[in-house]
Amino acid sequence: MVDSHSTTALTASKITYDILRHSVDLVDLFALNHVVNKLSLKGDLKFVASGLGWAFAELLAFRVMPFWLEARGSEFSWVHLISAMEANINLVYCISVAALLWTLSRNDFNKALQPAVLGLLVLSTYRPIVLEILMHVFHLGDWFALAFKAGYSVFLGGVALGLCTALTGEVSTNGKVH
C-alpha cells in the first residue's frame, strides 16, 4: 500500500494552506453547536442525536460513495478495511465533540473548565495537521494514523463522558447509579 503522506513534501506553505483549510472546520463546530442548542429533545439526548447525524453525514459523503465506487468489482484491499475502521472511530469522535459542545451550553457548567474544553475543540479541528506532521517527521504509515485517530477519539470521549456525567449527576461518588 502506498503511503500518500510520505510522498508529499511538507513545506511551510503547505502547512499554512492546511491550517487555513482546517480553520473552515471551525464553522462545522459553530453549526453543530447551533444544532445541539436548538434541538427540542431532552438535554442529554441532544448531543447523541446531533453527533449521530453529523457522523452519518460524514459517513455518506466520505466513506460510502468512495467505497461503492472503488470497491465494486475489486479484490480485497486494506484501504477499505482502514476506511471502515475510521468510520467507527469517527462516530465516537463526532458524538464526543457534540457532547463537549453540549456541556459548554449548560448553565451549570464550571466556567473554569471552559478554556480547556474550548482548547480540546480547537485541537480537534486541527487534528489532521498534527497527524500529518507526525507522519511526515517520523515516516509513519496508515496504521499509525488509525491508531492516533482512535486514541484521540477515545481520549476526547473520556473527557466528554466525565463532563457529562458530572453535569447530569447520574453517578454519585460511590459509583452507584441514582
Side-chain angles (χ1 to χ4, degrees):
M1 178 165 56
V2 177
D3 186 10
S4 61
H5 297 287
S6 62
T7 58
T8 26
L10 196 63
T11 62
S13 62
K14 181 171 178 6
I15 292 173
T16 304
Y17 170 76
D18 283 343
I19 288 172
L20 292 174
R21 186 170 58 103
H22 289 293
S23 293
V24 175
D25 291 343
L26 291 172
V27 175
D28 284 345
L29 289 179
F30 289 119
L32 184 62
N33 186 35
H34 181 72
V35 168
V36 167
N37 291 326
K38 296 300 178 186
L39 279 177
S40 61
L41 295 172
K42 184 180 173 193
D44 49 349
L45 290 178
K46 286 182 177 186
F47 69 86
V48 173
S50 57
L52 282 174
W54 184 25
F56 183 71
E58 285 194 4
L59 173 75
L60 285 180
F62 299 115
R63 306 270 186 246
V64 171
M65 290 308 295
F67 180 73
W68 180 259
L69 296 174
E70 294 173 9
R72 245 182 4 169
S74 68
E75 293 182 13
F76 174 79
S77 174
W78 286 104
V79 172
H80 302 299
L81 182 66
I82 289 174
S83 178
M85 290 176 160
E86 281 180 338
N88 290 316
I89 292 167
N90 195 39
L91 178 64
V92 173
Y93 171 76
C94 289
I95 292 175
S96 300
V97 168
L100 287 176
L101 288 170
W102 175 72
T103 58
L104 285 175
S105 68
R106 293 194 38 124
N107 293 333
D108 55 349
F109 179 68
N110 185 356
K111 299 298 181 194
L113 296 174
Q114 189 173 10
V117 172
L118 288 174
L120 280 173
L121 289 170
V122 169
L123 183 63
S124 69
T125 301
Y126 297 109
R127 176 188 68 166
I129 297 170
V130 172
L131 177 61
E132 186 175 344
I133 291 170
L134 286 174
M135 290 179 70
H136 182 75
V137 169
F138 297 112
H139 304 289
L140 301 167
D142 291 335
W143 290 105
F144 172 79
L146 188 69
F148 179 82
K149 289 176 187 176
Y152 185 76
S153 296
V154 167
F155 170 73
L156 199 65
V159 170
L161 178 66
L163 286 173
C164 289
T165 302
L167 287 176
T168 56
E170 292 180 357
V171 177
S172 65
T173 55
N174 62 4
K176 294 182 182 177
V177 178
H178 290 284

